Amino acid sequence: MQKINVQLDSSKAQGTDAPNLVVILGTGGTIAGTAESASDNVGYRAAQLGVDQLLAAIPALSPYQLEAEQLAQLDSKDMDFPTWQKLALRVQAHLARPEVAGLVITHGTDTLEETAYFLQRVLAPRKPVVLTAAMRPATALQKDGPQNLLDAVRVALDSEARGVLLAFAGQVHGAEQVRKVHSYKVDAFASVDGNRLAWIEEGHVRWLSQARLMSEPMGTELLASLDCEAWPKVDIIMNHVGATGSIVRALLVQGVDGLVVAGTGNGSLSTELESALREAQAKGVAVLRSTRCDAGPVTSSADALPSAGTLSPVKARVELLLNLLQQKLAIQVGRKQ
Ligand code: ASP
């Protein structure tokens, strides 16, 4: 793992006992992407520049004490379990350092909300872990990455910030509620079914709401207990006009541990899809019912398949994955006793 010390005039940030070091973990994404032409906002390659290059391009970061580490270099459409495992362990190790005030993670926008939710559930950190990203590459005429990265550092140093957050387009969102809601606009994220937590105004973080769901951390022992290849296989399927049970049955043949279904409306399912899911459940597959709607919960009822509550299908998948990992771990521990 490449580790880079970026000490951009740290002297200005000293003289206080409060932790003031921000660790920046680079994972790639469009924020580190480059295009051949400055006018090209879509025909670029993500994950080309190192995190040290991203930081060096922002003179306004010079008053801050920063340490940078290139943890991965990928387009987040290819985010994977080994990178998640490494990321959670590195974040945990840095958070344990008394001099660290918080962390910033540069990430692609495509799967950012999944990584954010994963880190929140595993670590539930008391210090801030601030993800940030960009919709335009680093070569764009009007790039959004540098401002987002600068804002993320400021959020990481804010005394009221805690937990896994996203600093993006002048707003701060929580891991539980944030979703990518636009494929192209620079302002691409929103807090669904809740408020954004803060906005960032000329470097000042203005908190709007501190009502956060602070779950208990699941802990990283969970992640280290099994090789990533042995992590549970959880897939997402969707209800739609004419949905049958054929995909569920094909997955049962292949082998699957959990299924999240993105139902219609309040988690409704076609009769055929529902009966295939009940067959899967009877064979020991864990099933969670979410909605393909952009917002809103799926209400629970005793005679329906289990509800994912307010979780989107992708976050319900992370939740189910972690729950199944916990069950596997409990079985392993039980066998050893
Ligand atoms: N495909 C890119 C990624 O997720 C998109 C982005 O970063 O905006 O890495």
Side-chain angles (χ1 to χ4, degrees):
M1 186 183 315
Q2 201 192 344
K3 195 170 170 195
I4 311 137
N5 274 311
V6 186
Q7 296 285 349
L8 299 160
D9 193 6
S10 58
S11 57
K12 292 184 202 155
Q14 285 167 1
T16 163
D17 287 342
N20 62 359
L21 176 65
V22 178
V23 178
I24 324 271
L25 300 179
T27 73
T30 296
I31 193 167
T34 55
E36 305 231 318
S37 144
S39 59
D40 195 346
N41 287 327
V42 290
Y44 61 87
R45 284 167 67 90
Q48 300 302 304
L49 302 179
V51 64
D52 53 335
Q53 290 170 282
L54 303 185
L55 294 171
I58 310 173
L61 282 174
S62 65
Y64 302 105
Q65 194 174 352
L66 308 175
E67 191 179 293
E69 192 172 307
Q70 192 72 48
L71 186 116
Q73 188 64 303
L74 43 78
D75 185 317
S76 82
K77 70 183 173 55
D78 296 318
M79 183 52 73
D80 53 23
F81 291 165
T83 309
W84 268 5
Q85 187 184 45
K86 192 160 100 178
L87 184 60
L89 295 171
R90 289 306 289 155
V91 170
Q92 185 182 44
H94 286 301
L95 287 175
R97 297 167 59 193
E99 69 277 24
V100 170
L103 268 78
V104 168
I105 302 171
T106 58
H107 198 288
T109 60
D110 287 347
T111 60
L112 186 148
E113 69 211 63
E114 293 172 62
T115 299
Y117 188 71
F118 170 79
L119 291 174
Q120 176 62 32
R121 292 296 282 125
V122 172
L123 301 169
R126 307 313 295 180
K127 291 180 184 177
V129 174
V130 189
L131 282 97
T132 196
M135 288 299 283
R136 294 180 179 159
T139 46
L141 283 174
Q142 272 199 322
K143 40 187 166 281
D144 53 332
Q147 183 69 52
N148 287 345
L149 186 45
L150 176 62
D151 286 349
V153 169
R154 286 168 169 160
V155 174
L157 285 165
D158 190 273
S159 59
E160 289 181 52
R162 61 195 161 90
V164 180
L165 305 167
L166 168 66
F168 198 88
Q171 304 185 64
V172 182
H173 304 277
E176 298 91 352
Q177 288 176 326
V178 73
R179 293 192 197 184
K180 187 172 180 180
V181 293
H182 203 279
S183 57
Y184 180 73
K185 279 200 312 197
V186 168
D187 188 3
F189 285 87
S191 286
V192 169
D193 285 329
N195 295 326
R196 66 195 158 148
L197 298 177
W199 78 89
I200 308 151
E201 203 181 68
E202 293 300 312
H204 297 287
V205 187
R206 310 273 187 219
W207 293 97
L208 295 166
S209 154
Q210 282 295 10
R212 301 276 318 278
L213 168 73
M214 288 300 284
S215 46
E216 283 301 307
M218 286 182 164
T220 48
E221 305 75 38
L222 185 69
L223 308 182
S225 64
L226 278 178
D227 281 349
C228 290
E229 303 88 76
W231 282 18
K233 184 167 169 5
V234 183
D235 282 305
I236 301 176
I237 46 181
M238 191 188 267
N239 190 47
H240 48 77
V241 170
T244 68
S246 59
I247 297 178
V248 174
R249 294 199 180 93
L251 287 169
L252 284 177
V253 172
Q254 248 182 49
V256 66
D257 302 298
L259 287 171
V260 171
V261 58
T264 27
N266 186 12
S268 66
L269 304 171
S270 77
T271 309
E272 279 192 47
L273 180 56
E274 175 157 3
S275 68
L277 286 167
R278 287 191 184 276
E279 273 170 44
Q281 206 185 28
K283 289 185 173 144
V285 175
V287 178
L288 216 44
R289 201 167 41 93
S290 178
T291 175
R292 67 179 213 188
C293 291
D294 290 342
V298 166
T299 52
S300 328
S301 97
D303 53 354
L305 287 163
S307 154
T310 56
L311 295 177
S312 64
V314 290
K315 287 185 187 172
R317 176 176 174 268
V318 176
E319 186 68 29
L320 194 50
L321 170 82
L322 292 171
N323 281 302
L324 290 169
L325 262 175
Q326 269 185 327
Q327 283 173 24
K328 281 200 175 191
L329 185 61
I331 293 168
Q332 274 187 349
V333 171
R335 274 203 203 111
K336 280 186 198 147
Q337 279 168 355

